[in-house]
Amino acid sequence: MTQITPISRAMHCGRTIAIAAFALSISAPALAGRPLVFAGASFGEHGERGEYLGITAPFFSSHYFTQRLAISDYYYQYGANGTTVRVRGEAVEAALGAQTAWQGGWVEASSGVRYRENRVTPSGANAHADGGQFGLPLGLQGEQRFGQDWAANGIVFYAIGPASYWGRARFLHRTFGDAWAGVEVIKHGDPDYRATQGGLVLTGIKVGETFTLGFFAGVKKTSGQPRSFYGGAELTKGF
């Protein structure tokens, strides 16, 4: 979830999810120099799902460098040559990021190491995605506010090795308190499949002093599969 807060709170607190069925790449600018825990879950109409948990923090108390560790569990499917290919797996990622902020916006670039362990059925349907594989994730994310009530943010990740990608753009309007509502567009894939998602998002809902909650839902089209609904929730906790 990306929470929009005044720039006067130093480095903006944003949470990036890139858990596009097969891949996990998560990054977040530090919340005013403090650690941030993030978690969430997504689901699809045909049984697709993904769960993740991670933590990000300043690197040696720096306001310009961050470190993060994240784990995920997922299931996704797609069609190929008349066959439905199903992939179940887990992933772990560690990364470092460099960030900067200005009045009304911020940007962060990150890289690290990622390991995934996939189980593909039917056997032999996708040898490229099956089994264990290390990858080098490269990420870029940022946000820009327009006045007090409008904002746009974007995320793009590419994993060298698996050759997988995940990108998302959100356009948001302030609704109540710290909450923002708007639309999102997501594209992700690898050499064997592609997917496009679009829907609505409500994010930045404050729960107590340190928790922030968000929800999203929409329609997804995956190669070789009919259109389907997706949805999920995201949660962050600052310290």
Side-chain angles (χ1 to χ4, degrees), residues 1 15 39 45 57 68 73 88 98-99 111 122 130 134 152-153 170 187 199 203:
M1 168 181 59
R15 200 261 348 179
E45 181 180 350
R68 73 174 181 271
D73 180 82
R88 294 173 173 83
Q99 62 181 10
S111 183
D130 205 4
F134 283 95
N153 59 60
R170 281 181 172 178
K187 293 186 72 68
T203 188

Side-chain angles (χ1 to χ4, degrees), residues 66-234:
T66 61
Q67 56 187 330
R68 73 174 181 271
L69 178 66
I71 58 174
S72 69
D73 180 82
Y74 50 86
Y75 164 77
Y76 67 100
Q77 63 184 42
Y78 62 93
N81 300 318
T83 300
T84 298
V85 180
R86 298 175 173 85
V87 182
R88 294 173 173 83
E90 298 79 33
V92 59
E93 180 181 301
L96 296 176
Q99 62 181 10
T100 187
W102 57 90
Q103 186 63 35
W106 59 268
V107 66
E108 181 187 88
S110 64
S111 183
V113 62
R114 176 178 171 275
Y115 178 77
R116 74 177 190 189
E117 183 72 33
N118 286 346
R119 298 170 298 283
V120 177
T121 56
S123 179
N126 185 350
H128 180 266
D130 205 4
Q133 185 175 23
F134 283 95
L136 175 67
L138 306 175
L140 182 67
Q141 60 176 311
E143 180 173 275
Q144 179 63 53
R145 291 181 59 171
F146 304 97
Q148 295 298 314
D149 297 326
W150 293 94
N153 59 60
I155 307 159
V156 60
F157 283 91
Y158 180 79
I160 298 175
S164 59
Y165 63 90
W166 193 96
R168 186 190 72 193
R170 281 181 172 178
F171 302 92
L172 305 170
H173 183 265
R174 188 188 298 275
T175 55
F176 57 90
D178 292 325
W180 296 69
V183 297
E184 68 175 13
V185 177
I186 303 171
K187 293 186 72 68
H188 50 92
D190 65 14
D192 300 294
Y193 95 105
R194 298 174 305 279
T196 301
Q197 303 175 208
L200 303 176
V201 57
L202 176 63
T203 188
I205 304 170
K206 298 292 290 184
V207 181
E209 293 297 322
T210 59
F211 286 95
T212 307
L213 185 63
F215 301 95
F216 51 89
V219 177
K220 175 172 65 175
K221 180 64 175 73
T222 303
S223 54
Q225 298 284 290
R227 289 183 177 85
S228 60
F229 293 104
Y230 76 92
E234 47 198 29

Side-chain angles (χ1 to χ4, degrees), residues 19-99:
I19 182 170
F22 55 87
L24 170 70
S25 298
I26 301 180
S27 177
L31 173 60
R34 298 192 299 271
L36 182 76
V37 173
F38 50 86
S42 61
F43 64 89
E45 181 180 350
H46 301 305
E48 306 94 330
R49 60 167 184 79
E51 305 86 35
Y52 60 89
L53 174 67
I55 184 170
T56 183
F59 186 65
F60 289 112
S61 301
S62 171
H63 283 290
Y64 300 99
F65 297 98
T66 61
Q67 56 187 330
R68 73 174 181 271
L69 178 66
I71 58 174
S72 69
D73 180 82
Y74 50 86
Y75 164 77
Y76 67 100
Q77 63 184 42
Y78 62 93
N81 300 318
T83 300
T84 298
V85 180
R86 298 175 173 85
V87 182
R88 294 173 173 83
E90 298 79 33
V92 59
E93 180 181 301
L96 296 176
Q99 62 181 10

